[in-house]
Amino acid sequence: MADSPTLPQRPAGGTRTVLVIGGGTSGNALAVLLRRAGIVVDLVEASPDWKASAGSGITLQGNALRVLREVGVLEGIEKDGYAAEGLAVLAPDGTVLHAHEELRIGGDDLPSHIGMQRPRLQQLLIDQVRASGADVRLGTTATAFQQDGEGVDVTFSDGTSRRYDLVAGADGLHSTTRSMIGITDEPQPTGMGIWRAPAPRPSGVRRTEMIYGGRCFIAGYCPTSEDTVYTYLVEPARDRASLNPDAYADEIRALSEGYGGVWEELRTSFTDPKAVNYTWFDRHLVEGPWHRGRVVLVGDAAHACPPTFAQGAAMSLEDAQVLAELLTGRDTWDDRLLTDYHARRLPRVRMVVDASVQLAQWLLDGVRDADVPGLMHRTLSALKELP
């Protein structure tokens, strides 16, 4: 289905309409779930390239897979991703210190986690959005909201306007929707930065493996297909303005020096600076209401955390699932519905954000006797419960 240059006229008969702002993981999932219930959905994405910021790799825990199965992309994920055989902690020289199976927090019928190339996940979601019949406009943003008790009049960057029953802001960590509705909470850096890059999968790597210590806080990799892995190195945050993107490959190679095992093979593949990504770890949680009137936040726009639990995508996907469940299950779309959405999501999201930040802080502080296994077990066990 080609992107429409203009939005179609709304059907008569009281069909509900939702605007989804942001074509990332949570926005795409929400669009599909709402369309399945017969709700008319328009999706706008600021980037003209829907896959431009997809990233290199992603670890999808069981609770993320649970939602993605409902969205209809699990089969593609299982085909194109890699169901890792547990997790191992290694010494800097590559010696295995500890290996274990992971909790199947999505249920016994789902893998504990699947790693995959993030652009491939994005493409699967894009294909599902297109198949759903949602109307998509790329290179387009919402520039103004005018609300009343029945809906939202939205003005777009191309000069068009349209009225919706609800607007969902799924436009990421630095959400413009959030600021447009007057929510002032902003992400705060935790003091850590992460280098990420894809690489060919070394033979024998069939699980996620991490090294704590050495030149970095964490040096790890996760298989993302039969042929690829997603590598990452976590260090104290640097001044991003001082980094030269043309030297990113040199930086990640230098950081990986001193790590043994398959890192010696991985290091040789870090040659293209454009394939390397550097970002900070942020903590973000909107404690107060996630909506103003009929505009509501979803995913990273409302919360984000360091990837120490690999739960960022899962929390965003759960948002989409819960919001879609409420919108499709109630006759009345009102303040109570959006308040209930916030009440269901906040305690669970806060638990994950706080635990993820705590793990990162223990590494920053060099705490050697921290109860990392206990914190991980308590948090992941709680996530086995449905959101």
Side-chain angles (χ1 to χ4, degrees):
M1 185 181 80
D3 294 329
S4 302
T6 59
L7 293 175
Q9 293 300 309
R10 292 286 152 251
T15 302
R16 282 172 165 160
T17 58
V18 173
L19 171 67
V20 176
I21 301 174
T25 303
S26 59
N28 290 338
L30 180 62
V32 172
L33 294 173
L34 294 179
R35 283 293 303 133
R36 188 170 298 157
I39 295 168
V40 173
V41 177
D42 296 333
L43 184 149
V44 294
E45 163 58 40
S47 173
D49 180 354
W50 211 348
K51 292 175 66 176
S53 58
S56 53
I58 188 170
T59 301
L60 297 167
Q61 300 274 15
N63 57 327
L65 297 173
R66 188 163 56 200
V67 181
L68 290 164
R69 177 172 57 192
E70 186 174 339
V71 173
V73 295
L74 180 60
E75 183 177 347
I77 289 169
E78 291 176 326
K79 175 179 178 290
D80 296 333
Y82 194 100
E85 300 172 6
L87 183 147
V89 176
L90 280 56
D93 65 1
T95 302
V96 176
L97 301 176
H98 177 68
H100 65 273
E101 293 299 315
E102 298 173 281
L103 288 173
R104 291 177 176 257
I105 61 176
D108 293 339
D109 57 340
L110 288 169
S112 56
H113 79 260
I114 293 179
M116 72 181 308
Q117 298 173 65
R118 193 152 194 161
R120 183 56 190 147
L121 172 63
Q122 176 71 347
Q123 188 61 59
L124 289 171
L125 290 169
I126 287 171
D127 292 345
Q128 200 73 348
V129 172
R130 296 227 185 264
S132 77
D135 191 274
V136 176
R137 287 195 295 175
L138 304 181
T140 305
T141 61
T143 58
F145 304 132
Q146 186 67 42
Q147 299 200 52
D148 56 38
E150 300 299 323
V152 188
D153 293 309
V154 182
T155 302
F156 296 98
S157 55
D158 60 5
T160 62
S161 62
R162 185 69 62 195
R163 184 170 177 82
Y164 298 92
D165 295 299
L166 185 89
V167 174
D171 47 346
L173 188 63
H174 302 289
S175 168
T176 56
T177 305
R178 186 176 65 233
S179 60
M180 286 170 66
I181 61 175
I183 296 177
T184 58
D185 305 72
E186 292 290 337
Q188 299 298 319
T190 66
M192 281 184 169
I194 182 168
W195 296 86
R196 298 178 170 100
R201 183 172 72 89
S203 61
V205 172
R206 298 185 178 89
R207 62 191 176 191
T208 293
E209 297 182 340
M210 294 186 291
I211 296 169
Y212 290 89
R215 297 189 65 173
C216 298
F217 294 119
I218 307 172
Y221 44 83
C222 170
T224 51
S225 73
E226 289 296 330
D227 304 317
T228 59
V229 295
Y230 153 53
T231 68
Y232 47 91
L233 295 150
V234 180
E235 61 167 3
R238 303 191 200 185
D239 177 7
R240 287 177 288 193
S242 68
L243 293 172
N244 177 8
D246 292 335
Y248 273 16
D250 298 333
E251 294 283 359
I252 197 170
R253 273 199 313 274
L255 274 178
S256 67
E257 289 287 348
Y259 291 116
V262 299
W263 276 103
E264 296 177 5
E265 180 179 345
L266 293 171
R267 191 176 303 119
T268 63
S269 69
F270 301 143
T271 57
D272 180 4
K274 293 181 180 178
V276 181
N277 173 259
Y278 177 77
T279 57
W280 284 356
F281 283 4
D282 290 299
R283 182 194 189 279
H284 175 52
L285 180 60
V286 178
E287 292 275 2
W290 291 359
H291 72 285
R292 298 291 187 272
R294 286 174 173 257
V295 182
V296 62
L297 303 180
V298 180
D300 286 355
H303 53 79
C305 56
T308 44
F309 273 89
Q311 275 291 313
M315 289 297 99
S316 294
L317 285 164
E318 286 187 359
D319 284 357
Q321 181 185 42
V322 170
L323 182 58
E325 175 192 319
L326 292 170
L327 292 173
T328 59
R330 295 191 185 180
D331 293 332
T332 302
W333 289 9
D334 55 10
D335 191 76
R336 180 178 177 181
L337 184 153
L338 298 178
T339 299
D340 288 348
Y341 161 64
H342 177 257
R344 277 181 61 176
R345 296 301 299 142
L346 183 63
R348 188 173 174 102
V349 169
R350 185 193 291 120
M351 174 189 68
V352 170
V353 169
D354 288 348
S356 301
V357 171
Q358 181 63 81
L359 283 182
Q361 193 61 50
W362 280 337
L363 291 170
L364 275 168
D365 295 342
V367 178
R368 296 185 177 277
D369 58 351
D371 184 20
V372 173
L375 179 62
M376 295 187 74
H377 182 78
R378 289 191 300 274
T379 305
L380 294 176
S381 294
L383 293 175
K384 292 181 72 174
E385 299 297 324
L386 294 175

